Amino acid sequence: MRPPCVRERGRCRGAPAHESTTMRLLVLLALALSCRGCPDECVCLSQTVTCQNQNLDFIPHSLPTDTKSLVVTGNRISRIGEDSFPTPMEHLTDLNLSGNELEVVDAKAFDNLPSLARLDLSDNEIKNFNESAFSINNTLELLNLSMSFHNYTYMYGVLGALQSGNLFQLTVLDLSNIDVFVPPDSLFSSLPGLVSLSLRNSSIVSLQNGTLRALALRDLDLRDNNLRNLPPSVVAEFNRKPGLRVLMSGNPWHCDCLIEETLSWLKNTTQVVDVDNLTCADPTALRRRHLLHLQYSQLKCLGNMESVLETSYVFLGLVLALIGVIFLLVLYLNRNGIKRWMYNIRDACRDHMEGYHYRYEINSDARLANLSINSDV
């Protein structure tokens, strides 16, 4: 009679040896099935597939169905679309497509990735980003678009995708190293869960009143832009988010009387993490001075009348210079006619003077005068 099976620490003590061998075979078979379909250009390990620097021009299709992380970087994939993932990959949560010279992201490009949470499209050359690239029921939480647009006009597609309302679960957005200049007023209004936003080195010259409105932001990176001052409305928006951490070093702050409110906020807030690194870019007398070390008496602006007079003088000088240039140009174009006109005046003056000279000779000689009178009679 077979002895009863007594379980001890998850194992069946007293089980026959052939059952143990069968279990080992099943485990090996499961491992083999999980590795089945790994492309030759890739490395598959523990539900992570890596295809780096293989000169691929498309995403490999024969991927393990249980893949959770897919890294396809350093290739030449210029386009991704609905056919890039022809079969659903239910377990894929992380997708890295950075450095692929990617130019086009078509509609429904990520529809077969229902569990996608983190997407990296950085360091590409995107020129066409379809607003319908993400499905309405996507679960995306992190989107990295750093260094992906070399021209602001190419961003309209991705801006439309951000404003579509489909990315309601997005919490981390990286728009660094692109030319945003002035972020649209309602750009982030459709991202209610956004917690971390990077706009570093994005050539931003100003922030509009409603750019950061209705955001649950905790981290905002504004370093290395072209900010010269912060509008009072933006400062007020920062004050309404007491838990917000802001980075703003590397901007060319203009230290005149218009920065007084910003300076007062900087001296009384703990939100700006790198406040000790904020320095003036102009005027020359305050260049490289730390903003926290400035006194309000050092922030000067020209008076209204002085500013108007200075502007008037500059405008008057420009007008006079333009008139002078036009006058000289007219003289040069009509130089031949002017010469003829001067010659005619000279000849007329010469004839007139000779007439006066002749009359003078007649009046000075009495005989000629009598002859002239007789001839007149």
Side-chain angles (χ1 to χ4, degrees), residues 304-321:
N304 293 334
M305 186 56 65
E306 292 179 2
S307 178
V308 170
L309 289 176
E310 183 177 347
T311 304
S312 300
Y313 291 148
V314 172
F315 180 74
L316 179 61
L318 292 175
V319 170
L320 293 177

Side-chain angles (χ1 to χ4, degrees), residues 214-267:
L215 287 179
L217 274 181
R218 290 202 301 265
D219 294 286
L220 176 62
D221 193 344
L222 294 171
R223 288 175 293 175
D224 303 322
N225 283 289
N226 292 319
L227 293 172
R228 297 171 64 81
N229 194 359
L230 290 178
S233 58
V234 174
V235 174
E237 192 65 41
F238 285 161
N239 285 328
R240 283 192 285 269
K241 304 178 188 301
L244 179 65
R245 290 162 38 92
V246 188
L247 295 169
M248 294 195 299
S249 61
N251 285 284
W253 302 102
H254 184 59
C255 299
D256 61 2
C257 62
L258 300 178
I259 204 175
E260 285 187 4
E261 186 168 347
T262 301
L263 183 60
S264 176
W265 172 68
L266 290 174
K267 290 186 174 184

Side-chain angles (χ1 to χ4, degrees), residues 124-154:
N124 282 294
E125 301 174 2
I126 299 177
K127 298 178 181 178
N128 188 350
F129 197 107
N130 195 286
E131 296 182 11
S132 303
F134 302 103
S135 64
I136 194 171
N137 57 348
N138 72 86
T139 57
L140 195 65
E141 298 175 3
L142 182 151
L143 177 59
N144 187 354
L145 294 169
S146 176
M147 294 189 295
S148 287
F149 301 92
H150 299 287
N151 191 318
Y152 179 75
T153 58
Y154 297 149

